[in-house]
Amino acid sequence: MNSKIRLGILGGGGDSLIGVLHRVASSMFDQFKIVGGVFNPKWEDNISFSEKIGIPTDRIYKDFDTLVAEELKLPEAERIQVVSILTPNFLHFPMAKKLLENGFNVICEKPMTTTYEEAKTLEATLKKAKTVFAVTYTYTGYPMIRQMREMIANNVIGNVQKIDVQYYQGWINPVIHDEKLRANTWRLDPEKGGISCCIGDIGTHAFDMLEYVTQLKVGKVLSDLNYVYDDNKMDVDGTVLFHCTNGVKGLIRASQIATGEENNFTVKIYGEKAGLKWEQENPNYLYLLEDGEPLRVLKPGHAYNSELSLDGTKLPPGHPEGIFDSMGNIYKGVAKAIRKEPYDHGEFPTMIDGVRGMKFIECVVESHLKGNVWIDINE
């Protein structure tokens, strides 16, 4: 029996939702063991949090540089094998680059970096390192999203002819209308969040998702972004029209000021023979729409689903699975890659997805700033 993969975590301490999500996901298939990390920038908080969640404190480090230096002193059979980066966006690039340069595998939250240039640098670094790099576009781990991908690939809906992806949240609405709050929120600070808030945070999920399920590539984009206030430097709402390289057209609607919305992520793909629709708030239902036929609802765990979908299903039919399971499936795929076991390329997003995500963000912002013009994403 293989020993568990030794996992280190950067960030995600305190009441961080993303921290809980990654810790639970990493434990889901008994493939990983958290052995160390830096959960909080303050040493006292770092140690107390480690004790609270039951992680031995002998490999809890005062900062990131100390973690790398001390872990490299250990025999290879004992040191951390993979590090999950759960910090604010501006720290992703320097941390990921140093980890790759020192031979670590990396699991990185999105957006992967704050600029496309940084993303390309990371890509080159990974080619030299030859380690595993995953970007946690979480929703690709849902069994019924994987089923959607396989059905489209197997021509169940025919040639794709319309793509409509919506991601609506309302969480930033009370922040954006308070001058002091919007001036002190890191997601609205370009120095910490990058050039985009809404598109960089949730719009990039939508972009990655549409390319994941259709396996098409976006060729060019035209965007219109909303900043609400002149002193706010980062978008909080936006609409993006896009053309795929094969001519298929679609749109992404993303908002963090959709008052009352929680996490309304909806993916609709329409083909010449049928359509498929999935809603993140009801993730166990994949709707199959056909002209002249009753609406069909596909659910996880049934034999009619694809091997990729069933491999990511942990419970019998009728038992709901959620976002922890989705992230857990990504960690499961990463474990296979680290162990050099066979795996489906749909099991986890890679550096390629992270780079394309950063290019998408920059092209969307450029399109808006140039007066809502078409920008080629592949140039």
Side-chain angles (χ1 to χ4, degrees):
M1 179 178 178
N2 288 331
S3 59
K4 292 185 179 182
I5 295 169
R6 298 177 296 281
L7 171 67
I9 294 181
L10 300 172
D15 59 358
S16 165
L17 167 63
I18 207 69
V20 174
L21 178 57
H22 279 261
R23 291 194 302 275
V24 172
S26 69
S27 67
M28 195 166 286
F29 291 96
D30 298 316
Q31 295 291 316
F32 295 86
K33 179 182 179 181
I34 303 172
V35 298
V38 183
F39 295 105
N40 296 86
K42 292 184 179 179
W43 175 248
E44 296 79 7
D45 295 339
N46 197 16
I47 288 294
S48 62
F49 182 76
S50 304
E51 292 173 340
K52 179 181 177 181
I53 63 174
I55 304 298
T57 59
D58 60 322
R59 291 167 77 176
I60 302 302
Y61 301 101
K62 66 177 183 178
D63 55 37
F64 167 65
D65 290 330
T66 303
L67 179 146
V68 174
E70 293 301 315
E71 285 295 319
L72 289 175
K73 293 177 183 178
L74 297 174
E76 188 173 349
E78 296 178 20
R79 77 177 62 138
I80 288 172
Q81 295 170 270
V82 58
V83 178
S84 291
I85 303 175
L86 317 183
T87 59
N89 301 353
F90 72 102
L91 293 173
H92 292 182
F93 171 70
M95 288 179 168
K97 185 172 184 291
K98 185 166 184 174
L99 288 167
L100 292 176
E101 288 171 341
N102 286 280
F104 292 93
N105 300 293
V106 176
I107 298 171
C108 186
E109 262 298 322
K110 45 90 327 242
M112 187 174 73
T113 60
T114 57
T115 69
Y116 176 62
E117 183 179 356
E118 288 178 346
K120 293 298 290 182
T121 298
L122 271 193
E123 185 177 40
T125 306
L126 179 65
K127 287 180 179 178
K128 294 179 181 178
K130 295 182 171 58
T131 55
V132 175
F133 193 102
V135 183
T136 51
Y137 289 110
T138 316
Y139 307 108
T140 61
Y142 275 109
M144 299 320 291
I145 279 293
R146 295 178 170 194
Q147 177 65 16
M148 178 188 280
R149 173 186 168 99
E150 295 295 286
M151 290 176 73
I152 294 171
N154 291 324
N155 203 39
V156 172
I157 68 171
N159 292 327
V160 174
Q161 55 190 25
K162 172 71 173 180
I163 301 169
D164 184 347
V165 186
Q166 171 189 296
Y167 202 153
Y168 280 3
Q169 298 176 336
W171 75 269
I172 214 167
N173 197 51
V175 174
I176 199 67
H177 300 300
D178 185 308
E179 186 174 357
K180 289 184 178 179
L181 284 178
R182 68 174 180 262
N184 292 286
T185 298
W186 76 261
R187 286 195 179 277
L188 294 175
D189 182 352
E191 294 296 319
K192 296 180 179 179
I195 63 172
S196 171
C197 179
C198 180
I199 297 300
D201 184 19
I202 59 177
T204 188
H205 268 301
F207 169 75
D208 182 77
M209 178 63 77
L210 77 89
E211 291 201 334
Y212 176 82
V213 295
T214 67
Q215 299 187 61
L216 300 176
K217 295 297 181 185
V218 171
K220 56 184 179 178
V221 297
L222 185 153
S223 67
D224 186 29
L225 305 181
N226 185 0
Y227 295 73
V228 180
Y229 293 100
D230 291 339
D231 67 339
N232 178 40
K233 299 178 181 179
M234 299 177 72
D235 58 277
V236 291
D237 174 86
T239 301
V240 182
L241 302 179
F242 62 84
H243 293 174
C244 293
T245 52
N246 69 341
V248 173
K249 299 179 180 182
L251 74 158
I252 291 172
R253 295 170 289 161
S255 181
Q256 292 169 322
I257 54 168
T259 308
E261 292 284 7
E262 295 172 342
N263 202 46
N264 184 358
F265 187 19
T266 303
V267 183
K268 293 179 282 189
I269 311 295
Y270 300 100
E272 58 187 346
K273 296 190 294 185
L276 291 167
K277 181 170 69 173
W278 178 86
E279 301 164 332
Q280 194 279 148
E281 293 182 349
N282 297 288
N284 290 313
Y285 303 98
L286 176 61
Y287 302 99
L288 176 61
L289 305 90
E290 300 173 277
D291 289 333
E293 298 291 338
L295 173 70
R296 293 172 60 189
V297 182
L298 286 70
K299 298 170 67 178
H302 291 280
Y304 55 68
N305 287 318
S306 67
E307 183 178 340
L308 179 60
S309 174
L310 291 172
D311 183 64
T313 303
K314 289 156 287 302
L315 299 170
H319 295 74
E321 300 194 41
I323 193 167
F324 287 97
D325 307 82
S326 182
M327 184 69 86
N329 286 335
I330 290 174
Y331 269 82
K332 182 182 182 181
V334 172
K336 292 179 183 177
I338 290 174
R339 298 188 191 282
K340 302 190 184 303
E341 297 173 354
Y343 66 94
D344 189 295
H345 288 289
E347 290 196 56
F348 65 91
T350 67
M351 174 70 74
I352 294 171
D353 301 284
V355 171
R356 284 193 61 77
M358 292 313 304
K359 181 66 170 178
F360 167 73
I361 293 167
E362 293 198 356
C363 287
V364 165
V365 173
E366 181 184 356
S367 169
H368 175 81
L369 294 177
K370 288 185 175 179
N372 319 111
V373 299
W374 286 103
I375 301 294
D376 194 323
I377 195 172
N378 294 314
E379 287 186 346

